[in-house]
Amino acid sequence: EEPTRRDVEVSQKGDLILVRAGLKTLLSTPKSDAANAFQVAVAAVPSGGSLGIGEGLYELPAPYPVALDADGGNIFYCCIPILDKSMHIFGAGAGKTVLKLAAWQRSASRHVVMMLIRGTGPMAPGYSSFSVDGLTLDGNVKYQYSGTQHDGEALILVGSARRNGKYANLELRNSHGAGLYLGNNGGGSGTNELIQNCIARSCADKGIMLDTCQDSRVEDCQAWACQEGLCLYGNDDWQTRGADRVTVAGFQTDSQVMVWQVNDFKLDGLDMDCSKAASSYGLVVRDGSGQVLLSQLKSDKKKTGAYGSATHLYRGAAVGFQNCQISGYYGIRAIERAKVLATNCDI
């Protein structure tokens, strides 16, 4: 079967990286020049066009500074900055196309993102359509300088007011921060974002995070050995703003799941077993409202305290549980003003 042709293609040949657009070779350069090769490739993709990345290991330094804040501060260094552009990126498949952070790029004072996707200015709009499909991103955390995490550090960080993003068939591993972080840096956050069939492994922060996204979905994803497997974040205006309508279906994790000030969330088929996590509060919901359906929520009954919680619901949380299996030192732990309705659950 003839492979799908992309507008621009990055591939490897011997010790070289080639960047082609159709029959034209835009760049032929040593593998050590990978960051530049990807910049040339991204710049050559037409608006709404496609970038194909061939099989192989691409080791990428992070030479490109981008200021996330309006005043020019909060500098992040990027391997592949993609600014002011709608486009679609396709690898040959997770495990086949591997983007790996080069050694010693990240430190506590040098914040790094492998792929940064947003508008340039503080109020510039982000994409109207975007996708990343079929890649492994490896943060190479053992060969980075350690130190306090900085909010936003991730393998993929997305920002600005945007819509119609799709992140599918990705492996996100060995991050010094988050795996996939759909954020609200820049002029807003995402609408109609889809995360599908992604696996986060060994991320020092969140495996997958959606920050103030609306009408968005996480489907058939997994997170293993992350500080938190999944994070859905909202904002302090949770009592007055409209519904977020964020849905998670078929998520599997051995780590804590956090839902923070999100309205109208739905967790369907969540399989969370925190029994072996060193410190986990299970499914944590602070403020907001939503439903948990057909889910298995498990923690270690021998952890005689909060770290043995299968659920931890507090402040203004209002959560309905239906047809769930819940097991831990605490099953349903609702404190402060939290409200719970459990229907047909085995606790």
Side-chain angles (χ1 to χ4, degrees):
E1 184 177 319
E2 186 70 19
T4 303
R5 280 291 185 192
R6 309 299 180 188
D7 293 305
V8 177
E9 296 185 336
V10 177
S11 62
Q12 296 185 3
K13 184 177 181 180
D15 293 329
L16 298 176
I17 295 178
L18 305 179
V19 181
R20 294 189 179 101
L23 298 177
K24 184 178 181 181
T25 298
L26 304 179
L27 184 69
S28 175
T29 191
K31 287 183 178 179
S32 58
D33 193 34
N36 177 52
F38 276 93
Q39 280 297 91
V40 170
V42 168
V45 175
S47 178
S50 60
L51 170 63
I53 307 173
E55 289 192 34
L57 172 64
Y58 300 81
E59 191 166 298
L60 291 155
Y64 304 111
V66 178
L68 295 197
D69 291 353
D71 62 2
N74 198 15
I75 301 293
F76 274 67
Y77 289 84
C78 312
C79 305
I80 307 174
I82 304 173
L83 306 175
D84 303 316
K85 201 159 201 173
S86 294
M87 60 180 288
H88 304 280
I89 300 172
F90 299 93
K96 294 181 178 179
T97 299
V98 180
L99 309 183
K100 185 175 183 178
L101 183 62
W104 316 124
Q105 299 299 299
R106 186 266 170 197
S107 71
S109 59
R110 191 180 195 269
H111 313 133
V112 167
V113 168
M114 289 197 69
M115 190 178 290
L116 176 65
I117 305 161
R118 56 166 277 169
T120 45
M123 301 308 292
Y127 53 72
S128 58
S129 181
F130 203 100
S131 63
V132 184
D133 192 318
L135 298 171
T136 289
L137 292 99
D138 188 332
N140 197 18
V141 69
K142 287 185 179 180
Y143 296 93
Q144 307 301 323
Y145 296 107
S146 60
T148 305
Q149 294 170 1
H150 187 76
D151 181 39
E153 290 190 283
L155 302 181
I156 299 177
L157 175 63
V158 186
S160 300
R162 60 196 185 273
R163 62 187 188 276
N164 306 323
K166 182 178 180 181
Y167 301 86
N169 307 307
L170 304 175
E171 181 189 18
L172 309 147
R173 69 189 188 201
N174 304 325
S175 176
H176 49 276
L180 174 59
Y181 190 151
L182 301 186
N184 65 353
N185 62 89
S189 58
T191 301
N192 194 34
E193 304 275 55
L194 173 62
I195 305 172
Q196 192 174 61
N197 193 33
C198 294
I199 301 178
R201 303 183 193 275
S202 301
C203 295
D205 202 353
K206 287 79 172 161
I208 294 174
M209 180 168 177
L210 282 70
D211 191 343
T212 63
C213 296
Q214 294 186 318
D215 294 303
S216 296
R217 309 183 307 287
V218 181
E219 298 177 351
D220 299 320
C221 292
Q222 305 172 37
W224 309 107
C226 301
Q227 185 212 32
E228 289 182 340
L230 173 69
C231 245
L232 308 179
Y233 264 44
N235 216 327
D236 289 337
D237 63 353
W238 63 275
Q239 291 175 297
T240 57
R241 71 169 184 268
D244 297 311
R245 294 179 297 273
V246 178
T247 301
V248 179
F251 197 93
Q252 301 177 61
T253 186
D254 59 0
S255 310
Q256 175 175 301
V257 173
M258 171 74 78
V259 183
W260 182 285
Q261 297 182 322
V262 177
N263 292 321
D264 194 16
F265 68 87
K266 182 185 288 185
L267 307 180
D268 190 349
L270 171 62
D271 186 350
M272 181 201 73
D273 186 347
C274 297
S275 298
K276 295 181 180 179
S279 56
S280 166
Y281 295 98
L283 170 60
V284 181
V285 183
R286 175 191 158 168
D287 297 323
S289 59
Q291 293 182 298
V292 184
L293 311 173
L294 294 166
S295 295
Q296 297 186 62
L297 312 173
K298 185 177 180 181
S299 192
D300 185 356
K301 296 179 183 179
K302 296 178 182 177
K303 291 176 181 165
T304 56
Y307 289 156
S309 298
T311 68
H312 181 88
L313 320 169
Y314 69 115
R315 302 265 178 112
V319 184
F321 292 89
Q322 295 182 35
N323 302 303
C324 294
Q325 306 285 320
I326 302 173
S327 174
Y329 181 76
Y330 292 111
I332 293 180
R333 187 174 193 236
I335 61 175
E336 299 174 350
R337 306 182 306 278
K339 297 178 181 179
V340 174
L341 177 61
T343 306
N344 198 29
C345 294
D346 186 356
I347 303 172

